């Protein structure tokens, strides 16, 4: 079984995000970038499926600027077999990405697509669902456990009331949650091996896909800073402030 794993290059989760002075977006110049954490979990899960003898090949895919190849090399170092880079300078948005992924799925014919439930930069949480709709495939989102048996996939997912287990048929799209697994540490030998693994570069035009952005960002602003806390001397004073100042009771 062939598995396709899309990965996205985002601002590293340890970096404090700063908004541009003109409010058009976040600052990315001279900022450390890395693989989206949810996508890192997806790559790890695909590698575990291969190690279990279920998957035969893992293809990592990234869509965006030339620097996305660094993210793909990380995926290859984790355990992906080869990579495809869809190079574009346009802003990547869920529908355009889903269309590009559909074109790659039609070309590569994987049985399973595993991707992060969302990217930590835009938090759209739409690409996996859109891809499943375009393909007409089964889908299971927010997976915290994945078990493949023959042509069926059992996916445990967290919901407000507890845990829900779905059984879906292959081919399918699965989006991953944080509790699915803990990605392995990428070792230096594997990083060196990743440099020799094949990485193909294509364009959206070659795939027959129009990735023109359909959403316009009007303004980006930092959240309001929290005010300083206040100490109270008694429960009565606390209740009074909650009622008259905070107005929460």
């Amino acid at each position: 079984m062939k598995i396709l794993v899309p990965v996205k290059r985002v601002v590293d989760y340890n970096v404090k995000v700063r908004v541009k002075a003109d409010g058009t977006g976040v600052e990315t110049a001279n900022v450390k970038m890395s693989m989206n954490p949810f996508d890192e979990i997806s790559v790890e899960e695909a590698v575990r499926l291969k190690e279990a003898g279920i998957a035969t090949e893992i293809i990592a895919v990234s869509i965006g600027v030339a620097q996305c190849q660094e993210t793909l090399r990380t995926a290859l170092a984790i355990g992906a077999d080869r990579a495809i880079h869809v190079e574009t300078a346009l802003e990547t948005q869920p529908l355009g990405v889903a269309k590009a992924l559909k074109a790659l799925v039609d070309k590569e014919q994987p049985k399973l697509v595993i991707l992060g439930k969302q990217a930590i930069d835009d938090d759209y949480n739409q690409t996996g669902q859109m891809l499943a709709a375009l393909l007409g495939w089964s889908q299971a989102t927010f997976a915290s456990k994945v078990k493949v048996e023959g042509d069926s996939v059992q996916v445990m997912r967290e919901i407000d009331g507890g845990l829900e287990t779905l059984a879906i048929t292959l081919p399918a799209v699965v989006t991953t949650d944080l509790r699915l697994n803990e990605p392995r540490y990428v070792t230096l030998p594997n990083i060196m091996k990743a440099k020799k693994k094949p990485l193909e570069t294509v364009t959206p035009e070659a795939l027959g896909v129009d990735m023109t952005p359909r959403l316009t960002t009007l303004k980006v602003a930092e959240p309001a800073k929290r005010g300083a806390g206040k100490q109270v001397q008694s429960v009565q004073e606390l209740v009074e402030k909650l009622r008259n100042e905070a107005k929460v009771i």
Side-chain angles (χ1 to χ4, degrees):
M1 180 177 70
K2 190 184 293 187
I3 300 178
L4 190 77
V5 186
V7 296
K8 187 176 183 182
R9 178 177 181 265
V10 299
V11 175
D12 188 88
Y13 67 92
N14 289 312
V15 174
K16 179 177 173 54
V17 176
R18 293 179 291 111
V19 176
K20 291 181 180 178
D22 58 4
T24 57
V26 298
E27 189 61 64
T28 57
N30 301 316
V31 173
K32 181 182 178 182
M33 309 291 281
S34 62
M35 187 188 300
N36 178 45
F38 291 100
D39 296 337
E40 198 171 358
I41 291 169
S42 301
V43 178
E44 173 66 26
E45 191 63 22
V47 173
R48 292 187 184 189
L49 289 172
K50 185 179 179 183
E51 291 173 344
I54 296 170
T56 56
E57 185 181 27
I58 301 168
I59 308 167
V61 178
S62 190
I63 302 170
V65 295
Q67 290 85 344
C68 288
Q69 293 192 12
E70 300 170 8
T71 307
L72 286 171
R73 291 296 179 192
T74 301
L76 293 170
I78 294 174
D81 298 295
R82 58 188 175 94
I84 301 174
H85 176 213
V86 182
E87 187 170 0
T88 176
L90 296 173
E91 178 188 355
T92 55
Q93 295 182 353
L95 183 57
V97 171
K99 288 182 177 180
L101 291 176
K102 179 186 181 299
L104 289 173
V105 168
D106 292 340
K107 176 184 176 184
E108 297 291 341
Q109 295 295 307
K111 284 286 187 180
L112 183 62
V113 178
I114 306 179
L115 67 162
K117 69 174 185 178
Q118 64 193 73
I120 62 171
D121 54 356
D122 50 35
D123 280 337
Y124 278 129
N125 181 21
Q126 296 176 356
T127 304
Q129 293 89 327
M130 288 181 172
L131 176 60
L134 291 172
L135 290 169
W137 285 11
S138 307
Q139 66 170 303
T141 57
F142 309 159
S144 59
K145 187 175 181 181
V146 175
K147 185 178 181 181
V148 180
E149 292 181 340
D151 288 332
S152 176
V153 184
Q154 284 192 4
V155 177
M156 182 181 292
R157 56 197 304 271
E158 297 182 11
I159 58 175
D160 291 341
L163 296 174
E164 177 183 64
T165 301
L166 301 178
I168 58 176
T169 55
L170 293 173
V173 176
V174 175
T175 71
T176 61
D177 211 339
L178 286 174
R179 292 178 181 82
L180 178 58
N181 61 52
E182 185 175 344
R184 67 194 64 191
Y185 178 75
V186 180
T187 62
L188 182 58
N190 286 337
I191 293 174
M192 300 306 293
K193 290 177 184 177
K195 293 181 179 180
K196 298 180 180 179
K197 292 183 178 180
L199 194 160
E200 177 187 358
T201 300
V202 297
T203 62
E205 291 75 21
L207 296 174
V209 176
D210 179 14
M211 294 192 62
T212 304
R214 288 168 169 76
L215 305 174
T216 302
T217 301
L218 300 180
K219 184 180 180 182
V220 177
E222 292 185 3
K225 293 183 179 179
R226 295 180 61 181
K230 296 180 180 179
Q231 289 186 338
V232 296
Q233 303 301 319
S234 65
V235 174
Q236 183 179 354
E237 184 182 355
L238 173 61
V239 172
E240 182 182 344
K241 288 186 178 294
L242 290 174
R243 178 179 292 119
N244 299 326
E245 293 184 19
K247 299 187 184 301
V248 294
I249 59 173

